Structure formats: structure tokens, C-alpha cells
Amino acid sequence: MAPIPVQRDTVQRPGTTRAGYAHGPRLASRTSLPGIPLAPSAARRFVRAALAEWTGLGVPAAVGFSDRLADDAVTVTNELVTNAVVHAGTTVDLVLRLEEEGGDEPSAALVLEVTDHHPARPVSGDESGGSGRTETEEPAGLPDPAEYGRGLQLVATLAESWGITYRTGLKTVWARLPVDDWSGPPAPPDQDSLRRGLRAAEILAPTARRTERDDAVWDSRGAPAFLAEASDLLAGQLDEDLVAAIAGQLLVPRLADWCAIWLEAEGGGPGAEPRLARVWHSDETGTEPLRTALEREPLRLPAGVGSGPVSVPVPWPAPPADEAPQDEAPQPGARDGAALAFRITGGGRALGTVLVGREGVAQVPDAVASLIEDFVRRLGLAVGAARAYTRQATISRILQRGLLPSKVAEIPGVTSALVYEPSDDGVVGGDFYDIFPCPGDRWCFVLGDVQGSGPEAAVVTGLARPWLRLLSREGFGVGEVLDRLNRLLLDDAMEAAEAAALMVAAAGGQQLHDGSQSRFLSLLYGEVVPLPGGGVRCTVASAGHPLPLLLRPDGSVRPAAEPQVLLGVVEDVAYESQVFDLAPGDTLLCVTDGVTERRSGPLMFDDGDGLARVLAGCAGLPADATAERIQRAVHEFAEQPPDDDVALLVLHAD
């Protein structure tokens, strides 16, 4: 069947909705869909297109749209439209609305409304997560899973509030999702968001409601469509437990009545026990007995087994004699059925095992077994990718901790504030910083950015920072320190050290360049000496680095250094330094290009002296407040989180 064409009607108008909601401007998009199985996929396309269109309109709240919010909106829409198609079977009207509310704490929310034309079906229990009553009936509790399925429980998990509205001839289910990020930077992935994703995957698992399975759908069209859907859902997942959760949701009940997934320990030896990551059963009451049985007798496949199906006994062992009920008849289907095991492999290594089973049958059809085998291959790729990301992220965190100082020195008469945000790409970044004391009542500060990222950048950072400390403490001036560091970067000894370090990284499975790339380094290096009457004297030099900015108490801003060539590019170069006094109340701001080159479409943050304008508004603020304001402005400049390391150092003379 061809996809449903979606017509979208978008309007922007002021107005109010139900009590307690928005009082500001709002966007609204609406469409109507036929009550057929293709409606949910058309609704998903409609929502993503509407969100993309709104972002392009430049509405302030649309800046807060994140990938997570878009995914939640699509998921909620899918569940509500599916519910309407299954239970009503009429034309479905879908409205997506962006509502803003002003005040001391402005907020915004996406409101989804799905309306069907069969309102006579009663709603039992409290189906509302809403917080107010207007025209909306809000009975109490969650719907009975046996009657409504898990979709509305998933909506309750993802939405801030939701409810059901009855009108003459119509029934509308609405859900409200807050745009949490519109007044600040998008929240990075954390353990809470991971648990939230796992909770959503578990809610999506099938309920106790039994359905007739039709294996005839796995023909030349059904199987490729299922595998394509599985590939889309599994691709890009960065946590192996979430991969297992999604895999179980896809297998049960489409292809099996129950399943279990074991994952081998990362780097575990021959005697390491696999971990039972997930267990599903189409009947909720069967999940825990199945888990207990599997934990009692873990599945172990012979070493020579490949990726094909292996028939295994159904894991429903008879209870011990002292636990077996004497007057209870055997449960029908409790021990009958067929079970197949498949080895999960990736990169030629065994990553785990999938066990699937059907009840009340002698064997699993060959076509279904072949389809599950193809699915498990894709599962292996997803698990392998998630583990590679985790491994790389772990190495990066270890390297980052070793390359950066555990703490920075305090400069007498100066308050400092430091912000360092490595990009969330799972590799070690190239930005580094340091503040340290030197003989002669001097303090030195460093902000640098190595070309590239990963092991190559880590090698340069790991050598440059201690060299800087050594040269500074030997009494060389600011310009002389850069001269000598430049020669060291071009020296053969540096190349030999880098090659050795890269060989170690390669042994850990890191993807490396051929070692021939230049070791460019942008660096801002300065020396601070306290003055007897208050304030400090600064001597700075910038080698290919964003220039430091000096903020006076009157709000004036000027560059505090002259631009010079990158380190590691030209051999015969003499670096010069600039000297100025940082009087009480003055502020010096030093940043890396992750700040100045932060992008929003074709624009960069520092276009038109954007950084200087933001800094000018920080006059009179202490160091930490200045750093916080600059950091917030960088994040608010674009919808997406920064794709480069962000580092900034603020020095404020007391």
C-alpha cells in the first residue's frame, strides 16, 4: 500500500486553550487521516514535518526543541493515533499545537490532540494525567491494560499531563509535553534519560491480551519491512541494555510468545557467566516465572554453534516435589511448545544469546526461524556498536582525566572561573587548560586547543601541558616559552613519542590516522604578577587562538593580545607578548574556538563581535557569574548542543 499523503495546515495566532495552559502566542498544525493501519506512520511523518517547519519560523520556544522532545512527540502521536484506529476505526483528526506562557518563569509545551468520531465507547477508571478540569472529563487511574493496551500508559510516562475530552459525536485524547529546554541548553543524555528510555521500552512490551498470530504475513514483503523497521530502531542506540529492551519488544509477540536475551561480559574470559539482560513474555504473569527458570539454569550453547537456530528444551522445569501443588491440575501450555536459541555475534565475536519460544506448538516455522536469524544478525551489529561507543567513551574519560589538572591554582588578588565542556561524541577532545604557580611570585595560565580529537590530540595535549610548566618554571618569558614549544612540536622527538603512543592506542582498537598529519596547536599563554597597590600585571601571547578580551568596569571591551601564527606550523618564528594591567574590577576572558565558532545555521557566535557584546553586559559581575552568562549565551545561540569542546577562563581582579 502506498503511504498516506498528509496535508498540513499551519497557523500562528494568539489565543487561549483549556484553563491553566498557555496565554502567549501559539503555533498549530492539523491534519485528518483515514482510520486504517497506515494512519500511525502518516501521523509520525506529519509531526516531524510540523516541528521542522516551526523551527524554521524562528518562534522563540521552537529554539528549545530537542531530538528527545521530537522523539517523545512522535511516540505519543503514534500511540494515540493507533489507539483511535484500533478502537474507533473512524477518520482521525490530529492537531499539534505549540503553546507559550509568559510571566516570571516563561514556559512552553507541545499539545497533541487526537480526535475520533466514535465517542460512545465508555472510558473506565482515571485516564487522565491532567491537572485541571474544564470541558475535559478526567476520571481517575490508568486504563486497564487488558482493555486498552500499554499505549496510554506510555503516554502517561512521557507526557506532563493528558486526558480525554468528550463532545457531541467526538472523543479527543490530548497530551501535553513540556518544552523544558527553550530557556536554556538542551539537557545532555544521563542516567535519568536512559532509565526513562528503558521504562518506555518496557511499557511498549506486549500485555496479557493474547492475539492470533498470522505467520503468513512474513512473505516477500512482510519480512523485509520488519527487518527494515528493526534496523531503524536499533541503529544509533548507544547503550546495550536499551538495545536488548528494543529487541525484546520487536520479537514479542510478533514472532514469539516469549524471549530472553543474554549478553556476554565485555572482555570476559572463557569462564565468565553471561548476563541475563532482558526477559519478555506475552502474558505478563509469565515473565517472572520464566526469569526464575532461566536464572536457575542459564542457557549455554556449544562452542561450535554458528548464527543459525538451535532447538533447545522449553525452559519450564517441573517444580521441586516439596513445592508442587498436590491438588492443582497442570496448567495448559505451561511446558508445551518449542524454543530456539540464536547466538548473537558481531565482528567475529560472540556477544550473547537470544532465546525465543512459542507455546502450544511442536516447532517454530522455518520461515519465522530464518527471519529471527536475520534479526539477530542486526541485533549483533547494534550491540557491537553500542559496546564500541562505550569502550571509546571510557577511554576518552580516562584520557581526559589524565590530561587535565585535578585542580587549578588560586592567584592572589584574582578570582578565576573555569568552564570546560567536552563535546559529547565519545572521544577525547583537544581543548586543555591550566593555572599554576612559578618561581618569582608569578602565576601562569594556559588555554589551548589541539587540532583534531581522539588519541592524536591526546598525545599532543599530554606532552604540551607539562612542557609548558617546565619552560615556565625555568624562567623563560612568555614569548620565549611559545618559541621553544613551537620547536618541540616540530621536533623528531615529538614525532617518535607520538608514534609510540599511537601504537598503544591502536592496540586498544582505536581508529587512527596514518600519523602524518601536522600537530597544530592554538594556544593562549599568560603570566600574572600581583601589583603592590592592587590588581595584577598580565603578559599574554596568542598563537592562532581566539584573542582574550579585556572588560573594564564601564562596560568597554577590547582585545588584549595580537594574533600570531599557530604553533607547529612554521619553524623560524619569534612570538611576541603584550603587557597590560588588570586593575581592580577589570575582567579578562579567554575562550577556545568552541565558543567563538559555535554555529547556528550559517552564523557563528562571534560574528559581528558577538562574544564582545555578551561580555560587555557582564560589567560589574564576579568571575563565576560572568562565566555562567557566557556559557548560557553559547548554548542558547543554537538549538543543537555544541559539537565542539567549549572552554572558557575568566580572571577578575579583586
Side-chain angles (χ1 to χ4, degrees):
M1 298 177 66
I4 301 174
V6 178
Q7 295 182 345
R8 187 170 66 257
D9 174 26
T10 301
V11 294
Q12 184 174 1
R13 62 185 186 275
T16 59
T17 61
R18 57 180 60 87
Y21 282 5
H23 299 281
R26 68 181 185 180
L27 290 172
S29 293
R30 62 188 72 246
T31 190
S32 293
L33 304 167
I36 62 176
L38 290 179
S41 62
R44 294 194 298 269
R45 296 197 308 274
F46 164 79
V47 169
R48 289 202 182 276
L51 295 180
E53 180 180 341
W54 293 355
T55 302
L57 291 176
V59 176
V63 177
F65 290 168
S66 62
D67 290 341
R68 186 176 65 193
L69 176 65
D71 290 343
D72 288 351
V74 169
T75 301
V76 170
T77 301
N78 180 78
E79 296 305 320
L80 295 183
V81 173
T82 300
N83 187 65
V85 170
V86 170
H87 295 300
T90 68
T91 299
V92 178
D93 299 323
L94 171 60
V95 177
L96 178 65
R97 188 166 59 249
L98 175 63
E99 299 182 342
E100 296 181 34
E101 184 173 6
D104 295 336
E105 296 183 2
S107 61
L110 285 178
V111 178
L112 292 151
E113 295 182 354
V114 175
T115 302
D116 64 60
H117 299 262
H118 194 296
R121 190 169 187 271
V123 179
S124 61
D126 183 351
E127 290 197 309
S128 163
S131 57
R133 291 178 180 268
T134 56
E135 75 276 18
T136 302
E137 294 289 338
E138 296 187 356
L142 288 174
D144 181 3
E147 185 178 2
Y148 290 93
R150 291 294 185 187
L152 295 184
Q153 291 190 21
L154 181 66
V155 172
T157 298
L158 297 179
E160 177 186 66
S161 58
W162 65 284
I164 300 176
T165 301
Y166 291 98
R167 300 181 182 91
T168 303
L170 301 174
K171 178 171 92 270
T172 299
V173 184
W174 58 267
R176 188 174 193 267
L177 286 76
V179 184
D180 293 327
D181 304 332
W182 82 295
S183 59
D190 53 19
Q191 290 300 316
D192 290 338
S193 61
L194 174 59
R195 286 192 293 270
R196 186 165 168 266
L198 290 174
R199 171 62 179 155
E202 290 171 351
I203 290 175
L204 282 170
T207 68
R209 185 174 62 247
R210 299 301 300 273
T211 59
E212 293 294 331
R213 184 183 293 108
D214 182 10
D215 290 329
V217 301
W218 309 120
D219 54 14
S220 58
R221 291 178 300 175
F226 169 77
L227 293 174
E229 178 188 4
S231 297
D232 287 343
L233 290 172
L234 294 173
Q237 302 298 334
L238 303 180
D239 182 89
E240 63 181 53
D241 284 332
L242 187 54
V243 169
I246 294 172
Q249 171 196 332
L250 289 168
L251 288 172
V252 179
R254 299 185 189 187
L255 299 173
D257 291 318
W258 52 265
C259 78
I261 299 176
W262 286 266
L263 295 176
E264 300 285 348
E266 179 88 33
E273 288 287 340
R275 176 172 60 91
L276 185 57
R278 289 286 154 178
V279 176
W280 272 267
H281 199 291
S282 58
D283 183 344
E284 281 185 326
T285 62
T287 300
E288 286 309 313
L290 177 60
R291 180 186 298 275
T292 300
L294 294 172
E295 289 175 343
R296 186 182 302 164
E297 296 184 13
L299 177 65
R300 293 180 176 85
L301 292 179
V305 171
S307 60
V310 177
S311 181
V312 298
V314 176
W316 294 105
D322 57 347
E323 297 180 11
Q326 300 298 319
D327 56 352
E328 184 175 313
Q331 295 296 316
R335 300 172 197 164
D336 297 334
L340 295 176
F342 300 81
R343 175 155 284 160
I344 306 172
T345 60
R349 300 174 55 194
L351 302 178
T353 305
V354 173
L355 178 64
V356 298
R358 289 193 175 188
E359 297 177 355
V361 297
Q363 65 178 22
V364 178
D366 291 342
V368 174
S370 178
L371 179 58
I372 297 175
E373 182 179 351
D374 287 340
F375 171 81
V376 173
R377 290 195 185 98
R378 287 159 174 78
L379 175 59
L381 293 174
V383 172
R387 289 192 169 185
Y389 174 84
T390 301
R391 187 164 51 246
Q392 179 173 288
T394 301
I395 292 173
S396 295
R397 285 193 295 270
I398 294 172
L399 284 174
Q400 206 81 62
R401 285 197 299 267
L403 296 174
L404 298 176
S406 57
K407 65 177 182 178
V408 296
E410 295 184 2
I411 304 174
V414 174
T415 303
S416 63
L418 180 69
V419 172
Y420 177 67
E421 296 181 353
S423 61
D424 188 27
D425 57 5
V427 297
V428 63
D431 288 9
F432 66 96
Y433 58 86
D434 203 357
I435 302 177
F436 54 92
C438 288
D441 199 26
R442 297 178 297 126
W443 279 261
C444 296
F445 61 91
V446 178
L447 199 60
D449 186 1
V450 180
Q451 177 199 33
S453 60
E456 295 94 332
V459 169
V460 179
T461 303
L463 294 175
R465 193 169 68 86
W467 278 342
L468 280 166
R469 285 198 171 207
L470 178 62
L471 292 170
S472 301
R473 288 168 176 169
E474 287 296 316
F476 293 106
V478 171
E480 293 176 303
V481 169
L482 296 190
D483 290 343
R484 283 162 172 75
L485 180 59
N486 183 58
R487 289 197 292 270
L488 286 168
L489 289 171
L490 294 167
D491 191 42
D492 290 341
M494 172 69 180
E495 184 174 345
E498 183 180 33
L502 293 183
M503 289 178 62
V504 174
Q510 294 291 297
Q511 182 178 359
L512 306 173
H513 298 290
D514 58 8
S516 61
Q517 75 171 53
S518 300
R519 295 173 288 272
F520 300 156
L521 169 64
S522 77
L523 188 73
L524 177 65
Y525 173 67
E527 181 181 283
V528 175
V529 178
L531 296 175
V536 294
R537 177 153 295 167
C538 294
T539 306
V540 299
S542 176
H545 201 82
L547 299 181
L549 298 178
L550 177 60
L551 170 66
R552 298 297 188 186
D554 61 0
S556 61
V557 177
R558 70 169 180 85
E562 296 293 332
Q564 300 179 83
V565 68
L566 285 165
L567 296 169
V569 179
V570 182
E571 186 169 359
D572 296 326
V573 61
Y575 288 93
E576 298 180 354
S577 59
Q578 287 76 44
V579 181
F580 59 93
D581 288 347
L582 202 63
D586 290 347
T587 297
L588 185 68
L589 172 65
C590 312
V591 303
T592 60
D593 61 9
V595 173
T596 56
E597 298 180 7
R598 164 84 157 128
R599 286 193 171 274
S600 177
L603 302 177
M604 290 194 296
F605 181 73
D606 199 33
D607 287 348
D609 294 326
L611 178 60
R613 289 200 306 272
V614 176
L615 180 61
C618 299
L621 295 180
D624 55 353
T626 299
E628 182 181 351
R629 182 171 293 187
I630 301 294
Q631 180 187 22
R632 184 170 64 249
V634 170
H635 279 278
E636 292 177 346
F637 184 70
E639 175 184 354
Q640 300 298 325
D643 57 3
D644 192 7
D645 297 348
V646 172
L648 60 95
L649 173 65
V650 178
L651 301 178
H652 180 78
D654 299 331

